């Protein structure tokens, strides 16, 4: 299956700071999704972005499929942004392969 | 539609008991997936349905695990003779069509004592 690597594994931010999370994948993909997992374990869909750039409020994402990476940008971070961010991809099959996640802690 | 729902949200059971979880997908979605997540890891694929047909099972799904989607709507995941290693969060997701965006339920957290 496709290997997904996320970096950094942990990120500590001061409220108001900007940050970039990276996702590298080992093969071509048909689907790429970014999720935020809340403290109760729910995976919240952030972006469905197999290629290109999308923005949603303070969050934006860019996927460069030809170079096999995606970036998630968090601007003006807030304490509610804390949690684990996962990148997941679908290759020539139908199942999502997840990275190990980036744990983000935003301090007031 | 209120999204993907799962029941129960938490289950504590003793080793050796059987447990069953239910997932109700988004109503128009024809694909349903089960994943398992252990502490500190990303979710891992277990099995997948297109309508009522179970099309693939991961090698993670031992013979003690069985999943059904009898009418192509809700699905159940049963674990027989539970072991402590089965303790995990069991997540269900659904999507529409090939490569469609997957939406997850809140999960069932299983603890085997």
């Amino acid at each position: 299956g496709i290997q997904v690597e996320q970096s950094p594994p942990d990120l500590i931010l001061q409220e108001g700071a900007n940050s970039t999370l990276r996702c590298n994948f080992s093969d071509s993909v048909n689907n790429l999704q970014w999720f935020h997992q809340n403290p109760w374990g729910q995976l919240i869909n952030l972006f469905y972005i197999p290629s290109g750039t999308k923005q949603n409020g303070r969050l934006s994402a860019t996927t460069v499929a030809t170079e096999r990476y995606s970036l998630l940008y968090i601007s003006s971070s807030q304490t509610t942004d804390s949690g684990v961010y996962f990148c997941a991809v679908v290759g020539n099959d139908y199942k999502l392969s997840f990275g190990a996640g980036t744990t983000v802690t935003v301090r007031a | 539609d209120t999204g993907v729902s799962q029941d129960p949200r938490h289950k504590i059971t003793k080793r050796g008991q059987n447990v069953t979880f239910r997932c109700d997908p988004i109503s128009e979605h024809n694909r349903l997936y089960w994943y398992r997540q252990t502490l500190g890891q990303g979710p891992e694929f277990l099995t997948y349905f297109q309508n009522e047909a179970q099309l693939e099972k991961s090698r993670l799904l031992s013979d003690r695990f069985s999943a059904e989607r009898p009418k192509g709507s809700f699905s159940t995941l049963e674990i027989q003779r539970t072991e402590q290693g089965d303790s995990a969060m069991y997540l269900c997701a659904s999507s529409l069509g090939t490569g469609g965006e997957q939406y997850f339920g809140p999960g069932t957290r299983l603890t085997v004592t």
Side-chain angles (χ1 to χ4, degrees):
Chain A
I2 296 179
Q3 304 302 307
V4 181
E5 293 184 356
Q6 291 186 243
S7 60
D10 299 281
L11 191 58
I12 299 175
L13 302 170
Q14 202 64 34
E15 199 169 29
N18 302 330
S19 63
T20 302
L21 283 59
R22 187 175 179 103
C23 172
N24 293 331
F25 43 94
S26 61
D27 206 343
S28 58
V29 298
N30 292 312
N31 173 12
L32 188 145
Q33 293 184 239
W34 282 97
F35 297 92
H36 178 208
Q37 190 163 43
N38 67 20
W40 299 272
Q42 172 86 56
L43 285 166
I44 308 298
N45 289 42
L46 297 177
F47 294 101
Y48 171 72
I49 187 167
S51 63
T53 297
K54 291 186 178 180
Q55 180 154 7
N56 184 3
R58 295 180 298 101
L59 301 181
S60 63
T62 294
T63 298
V64 183
T66 53
E67 298 187 21
R68 299 180 184 169
Y69 73 88
S70 183
L71 302 173
L72 178 69
Y73 305 96
I74 305 174
S75 65
S76 304
S77 57
Q78 300 177 359
T79 56
T80 52
D81 294 330
S82 295
V84 184
Y85 289 79
F86 285 105
C87 169
V89 302
V90 173
N92 289 327
D93 51 22
Y94 31 74
K95 54 184 180 281
L96 283 169
S97 296
F98 283 78
T102 293
T103 301
V104 173
T105 303
V106 182
R107 294 180 173 164
Chain B
D1 186 78
T2 57
V4 180
S5 61
Q6 294 186 243
D7 184 70
R9 297 290 304 277
H10 303 274
K11 179 70 177 179
I12 300 173
T13 192
K14 296 191 178 200
R15 189 176 55 184
Q17 298 296 304
N18 300 341
V19 294
T20 300
F21 310 141
R22 177 180 171 125
C23 171
D24 287 87
I26 294 171
S27 57
E28 66 268 26
H29 285 183
N30 60 338
R31 296 187 175 217
L32 186 149
Y33 314 79
W34 286 97
Y35 294 83
R36 181 171 68 186
Q37 185 179 22
T38 54
L39 200 61
Q41 305 295 318
E44 294 178 291
F45 170 79
L46 292 179
T47 190
Y48 148 73
F49 291 86
Q50 179 167 307
N51 300 313
E52 67 275 11
Q54 186 175 18
L55 297 187
E56 183 171 332
K57 297 193 298 184
S58 163
R59 65 182 184 279
L60 294 175
L61 216 62
S62 76
D63 291 344
R64 297 183 297 104
F65 288 70
S66 63
E68 294 182 343
R69 194 183 183 197
K71 297 182 180 179
S73 57
F74 73 92
S75 176
T76 58
L77 178 68
E78 181 183 16
I79 309 175
Q80 296 183 329
R81 305 181 304 280
T82 53
E83 302 173 354
Q84 286 187 323
D86 298 331
S87 296
M89 173 78 93
Y90 290 84
L91 295 162
C92 176
S94 70
S95 71
L96 183 62
T98 302
E101 186 172 3
Q102 293 188 28
Y103 294 86
F104 282 78
T108 295
R109 189 175 298 278
L110 173 67
T111 302
V112 181
T113 62

